[in-house]
């Protein structure tokens, strides 16, 4: 492609951008799938409940994986912090259940 052709192509691209509306990712998806902008018809999504125990196990597995992959220390420390926090929540929930029933 010659310099003249490249400049002409760039000018056409600039013209195309100024003529066309810039859309967000969501707007592009709605346009392609034919969905409307009305979010009132959308039913709320029920999130999957993950127990504290499941979270602790997943974070322990993740921690082993990042250590094997030689991730940076700050990334490993983040997972350690998240694992410890999930464990605290697990212990706190267990303590609440014990206190509630008076055991």
């Amino acid at each position: 492609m010659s310099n003249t052709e490249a400049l002409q192509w760039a000018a056409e691209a600039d013209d195309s951008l100024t003529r066309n509306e810039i859309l967000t990712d969501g707007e592009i998806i709605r346009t392609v799938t034919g969905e409307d902008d009305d979010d009132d018809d959308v039913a709320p999504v029920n999130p999957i409940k993950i127990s504290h125990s499941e979270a602790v196990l997943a974070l322990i597995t993740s921690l082993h994986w990042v250590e094997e992959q030689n991730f940076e220390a700050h990334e490993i420390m983040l997972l350690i912090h998240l694992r410890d926090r999930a464990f605290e929540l697990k212990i706190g929930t267990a303590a609440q259940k014990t206190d509630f029933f008076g055991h």
Side-chain angles (χ1 to χ4, degrees), residues 43-49:
V45 176
N46 294 330
I48 298 170
K49 283 299 254 181

Side-chain angles (χ1 to χ4, degrees), residues 1-22:
M1 178 182 293
S2 70
N3 286 343
T4 306
E5 291 172 329
L7 288 173
Q8 182 180 5
W9 178 84
E12 290 172 5
D14 286 342
D15 289 343
S16 175
L17 284 175
T18 56
R19 285 183 303 214
N20 295 322
E21 179 183 354
I22 306 281

Side-chain angles (χ1 to χ4, degrees), residues 25-36:
D25 291 343
E27 291 169 332
I28 292 169
I29 291 169
R30 281 191 293 278
T31 301
V32 171
T33 60
E35 295 176 10
D36 59 4

